[in-house]
Amino acid sequence: MTMDTPFRILAVCTGNICRSPMVERLLQSSFATIAPGEFELSSAGTGALVGAPIDAQVAGLVRVFNGNPEGFRARQLSEGILSNQDLILTLTREHRSRAIEMSPSLLRKTFTLREFARVLATVDGDQSLDGPRRWRALLPKVVRARSAHPSDPSHDDVVDPYRRPDEVYQQMVRELVPSVQSIVAWELEHRSPRND
């Protein structure tokens, strides 16, 4: 298999210590297992607590879902970080708007996590392509499908649990984890057997 450069996915939330690092580390763990070297995951925050580790409670949740929270440091979203990304997954519609304001050219590469997972489930990928090429070819299909299947925007946001009760952390899990699992399941379903 001739592999293209890794497909780069950036997750974006506010402080970059709860939601976006959880998306980063869960996708990273899954993709490293099923498609080593094909995906590059990172995250940033629109109001990052720069240099902070993952929130302790979220770190525990990352471990529960087989991710590794170690060695993480929050960073502030910037145009430089946004450049060269293949896909930006934001945790709310407001984060999506902020990312597009910073880099308008990323409009067709920027989705909320939940929106992307929902729309992704409606499209097929080209199994003859390796992972990075398949995902790059997929994005225009997802954009068209998003337009063809509008949904209730209130279903797009993931609640911010920071400094809130345990129930809010559990709500975040219910809103975030199924979308991550759906994205991973799509990749597993659309991989060519010869890519494994």
Side-chain angles (χ1 to χ4, degrees):
M1 172 180 78
T2 304
M3 198 181 75
D4 201 352
T5 56
F7 187 81
R8 294 172 299 270
I9 301 174
L10 176 73
V12 176
C13 71
T14 304
N16 192 215
I17 61 167
C18 292
R19 294 167 289 176
S20 59
M22 187 166 186
V23 172
E24 171 194 331
R25 293 304 172 99
L26 295 187
L27 282 176
Q28 184 178 63
S29 172
S30 295
F31 284 152
T33 300
I34 63 176
E38 292 185 15
F39 295 87
E40 185 178 290
L41 279 297
S42 60
S43 64
T46 58
L49 299 173
V50 176
I54 295 178
D55 172 84
Q57 198 160 344
V58 173
L61 293 166
V62 167
R63 287 186 187 95
V64 166
F65 291 99
N66 300 315
N68 180 358
E70 300 305 319
F72 180 88
R73 292 291 175 262
R75 60 187 187 153
Q76 179 65 34
L77 184 67
S78 67
E79 287 182 41
I81 289 172
L82 285 167
S83 67
N84 298 318
Q85 297 296 329
D86 293 301
L87 174 64
I88 295 94
L89 297 176
T90 70
L91 277 298
T92 68
R93 289 164 288 153
E94 181 183 345
H95 298 135
R96 181 177 181 270
S97 295
R98 292 282 297 280
I100 293 168
E101 284 170 16
M102 292 177 79
S103 292
S105 65
L106 296 176
L107 175 65
R108 297 169 69 84
K109 295 180 176 182
T110 307
F111 304 80
T112 68
L113 171 73
R114 296 175 78 188
E115 171 193 39
F116 184 78
R118 209 170 41 243
V119 176
L120 181 64
T122 70
V123 299
D124 287 322
D126 185 344
Q127 289 186 313
S128 69
L129 300 174
D130 66 26
R133 289 187 181 100
R134 184 172 60 256
W135 279 72
R136 289 184 182 107
L138 164 77
L139 283 180
K141 294 181 183 179
V142 175
V143 170
R144 285 192 299 275
R146 172 170 60 184
S147 301
H149 303 288
S151 64
D152 183 343
S154 68
H155 297 161
D156 288 344
D157 294 350
V158 173
V159 68
D160 185 357
Y162 185 56
R163 293 186 171 171
R164 297 175 73 185
D166 287 350
E167 303 81 61
V168 184
Y169 282 85
Q170 291 306 315
Q171 180 184 347
M172 176 199 69
V173 168
R174 290 192 303 272
E175 293 173 350
L176 184 156
V177 171
S179 293
V180 168
Q181 291 172 335
S182 177
I183 291 167
V184 172
W186 188 94
E187 170 60 13
L188 280 168
E189 180 183 341
H190 291 85
R191 287 186 70 73
S192 167
R194 64 184 173 78
N195 288 340
D196 293 332

